[in-house]
Amino acid sequence: MSIDAKLRERAAKVVPGGMYGHLNAALHGPAYPQFFVGGEGCRQRDADGREYVDLMCSWGPVVLGHRHPAVEGAVAAQLAAGDCLNGPGPVYVELAELLVETVPQADWVMFSKNGTDATTQALMVARAATGRTKVLMAHGAYHGADPWCTPSTAGTTPNERADLVEFTYNDLASVEAAAAQAEGDVAAIIVTPFKHDSFEDQELVAAEFARGVRALADRIGAALVIDDVRGGWRIDLGGSWEPLGVRPDLYAFSKAMANGHPIAAVTGVDSLRGPAQTLYSTGSFWFNAAPMAAAKATIETLRAVDGIALMERAGTRLREGLAAQAASHGFTVNQTGPVQIPWLSFEGDATLDKGMFWAAACLEEGVYLHPWHNWFLSAAHTDADIDRALQGTDAAYAKLRARFGAD
């Protein structure tokens, strides 16, 4: 029995189901390992010692590479001084100042721990500011795991979702219709910077949609919230809609903000500073200093090395390589999303049979990616790393052709 299998067996006795949430390997397919013991740069090792080129980056948090020296050095120094104290450390102010300097939309910052914290906190600010209850959100969008937004309804009540009104991403008329349905009670419109629903091809935002949503929010007096948990720190350091010239009232950040250390943030415009101040929103570990030191070091390093350009280079190399390989093996594939946050699906593979088989074959070849969730690249992915990954994906295409035949 493998070490991973033994750990799963033990976990099943003391944890419901053995594992839960988005890292539950049972959701990804039988080939996926559950337990990992280490990472370095863009490589990870599972509990049985197998090494993978990591194209998931721990589901997004790792943006500079595992165990990045600048980040880990900042964390070690802060831990030596103190982490969980009776109040935040000076780095709390330093990080807030850095975020206000880096994100043009930001006049102020509030910190928490996870993406769900940030999206929920942003909606609380919007409701405090407007005195309204309804939130417009895209059908199928993922905004976290609190009862109001979790993909599973187990353990929730209908009332916790009663104030949500759905629209279709990139369809401005459907947002207008959702606003009309809410009858003047819209506190916020929450939207992701691009469509990244699981099990579906991703979809980049149309500039006219982004501008239209901003104009609608202004017209009806609602707060525009961008859930930048996945896109943040990979698309633009100033926020993922900054290149479009569209700024929200509130940004929600987490994942890549501290290169794997637990922290989240909401940034807001000055007109919402007063309402934000009225909230009681807190947590025992929200103000720990070490993750803030990690975030400060991460953002400073991304700026210093032009990390987004590095990720775009790696993503373009990967996308072009995967397309050439697919064509050579006789497959039609769809590659969607920003190149640094990619996903690949097979044409006509509604059941994901090909995608699941190919992803498992990639694992066998030492490449860790995902069959139904978008992938993530980091600034640690060099040309050589991408070429090594492409060796594995090419072998996986060959196995797929042997199993299913070409298109």
Side-chain angles (χ1 to χ4, degrees):
M1 184 182 288
S2 69
I3 295 173
D4 189 86
K6 291 177 181 176
L7 287 168
R8 291 189 196 216
E9 191 175 80
R10 290 166 57 190
K13 296 176 182 178
V14 291
V15 178
M19 183 59 189
Y20 51 92
H22 69 294
L23 297 185
N24 184 356
L27 301 175
H28 313 149
Y32 279 79
Q34 181 65 79
F35 295 95
F36 290 80
V37 296
E40 189 80 33
C42 66
R43 307 296 173 100
Q44 282 201 44
R45 295 184 309 281
D46 68 21
D48 287 285
R50 292 171 296 190
E51 184 176 272
Y52 306 91
V53 179
D54 180 14
L55 298 184
M56 289 301 291
C57 295
S58 306
W59 268 248
V62 175
V63 70
L64 291 171
H66 299 278
R67 298 180 62 200
H68 190 277
V71 177
E72 297 312 305
V75 169
Q78 186 61 60
L79 287 172
D83 180 28
C84 187
L85 303 171
N86 286 348
V91 70
Y92 165 88
V93 180
E94 296 164 3
L95 176 58
E97 290 173 338
L98 177 61
L99 285 166
V100 169
E101 173 192 331
T102 303
V103 180
Q105 166 267 2
D107 292 314
W108 53 262
V109 184
M110 295 178 75
F111 296 112
S112 54
K113 273 290 173 239
N114 295 287
T116 304
D117 297 333
T119 56
T120 301
Q121 191 177 59
L123 296 187
M124 290 173 69
V125 173
R127 286 174 168 138
T130 63
R132 302 172 184 171
T133 59
K134 303 295 184 185
V135 172
L136 311 188
M137 64 171 282
H139 175 75
Y142 181 81
H143 293 296
D146 270 357
W148 71 268
C149 57
T150 177
S152 170
T153 58
T156 69
T157 68
N159 287 344
E160 288 164 322
R161 297 167 187 253
D163 291 323
L164 301 178
V165 184
E166 294 187 341
F167 59 84
T168 301
Y169 197 91
N170 264 342
D171 182 345
L172 188 58
S174 74
V175 190
E176 295 273 4
Q181 181 182 336
E183 298 179 335
D185 193 29
V186 181
I189 305 172
I190 187 168
V191 63
T192 54
F194 63 99
K195 186 175 184 285
H196 49 56
D197 304 357
S198 295
F199 300 99
E200 297 181 13
D201 288 342
Q202 300 186 98
E203 188 177 328
L204 298 180
V205 68
E208 57 269 25
F209 175 78
R211 296 184 186 113
V213 170
R214 174 69 275 178
L216 173 62
D218 290 339
R219 191 173 78 242
I220 65 176
L224 176 60
V225 179
I226 296 183
D227 174 358
D228 217 2
V229 171
R230 289 196 204 182
W233 317 110
R234 279 190 167 87
I235 295 175
D236 191 286
L237 296 186
S240 291
W241 276 10
E242 188 63 20
L244 300 174
V246 178
R247 295 177 181 172
D249 301 294
L250 298 156
Y251 262 121
F253 295 110
S254 188
K255 279 199 185 291
M257 184 172 159
N259 202 50
H261 293 271
I263 193 169
V266 169
T267 63
V269 296
D270 200 53
S271 61
L272 297 179
R273 184 190 303 266
Q277 193 173 343
T278 67
L279 301 189
Y280 186 79
S281 183
T282 190
S284 296
F285 306 107
W286 282 16
F287 306 105
N288 283 24
M292 293 183 181
K296 183 171 179 284
T298 297
I299 296 167
E300 290 172 342
T301 303
L302 284 169
R303 289 167 63 172
V305 304
D306 199 357
I308 289 176
L310 294 175
M311 288 182 270
E312 288 175 339
R313 175 187 172 95
T316 299
R317 191 178 188 90
L318 178 66
R319 182 161 293 188
E320 291 175 351
L322 289 171
Q325 290 174 352
S328 70
H329 286 281
F331 293 108
T332 302
V333 298
N334 302 312
Q335 297 194 73
T336 54
V339 294
Q340 62 272 48
I341 313 176
W343 190 56
L344 180 147
S345 66
F346 291 85
E347 187 70 25
D349 187 30
T351 60
L352 291 184
D353 288 345
K354 288 182 179 179
M356 296 289 285
F357 183 94
W358 182 73
C362 287
L363 277 178
E364 293 174 355
E365 298 296 330
V367 183
Y368 194 103
L369 45 75
H370 204 278
W372 50 259
H373 188 289
N374 68 265
W375 317 338
F376 297 90
L377 296 182
S378 76
H381 285 91
T382 65
D383 289 355
D385 294 316
I386 296 300
D387 291 345
R388 165 63 187 89
L390 288 169
Q391 289 176 10
T393 58
D394 191 48
Y397 276 127
K399 294 178 180 179
L400 184 68
R401 186 177 58 189
R403 171 65 175 82
F404 290 92
D407 290 345

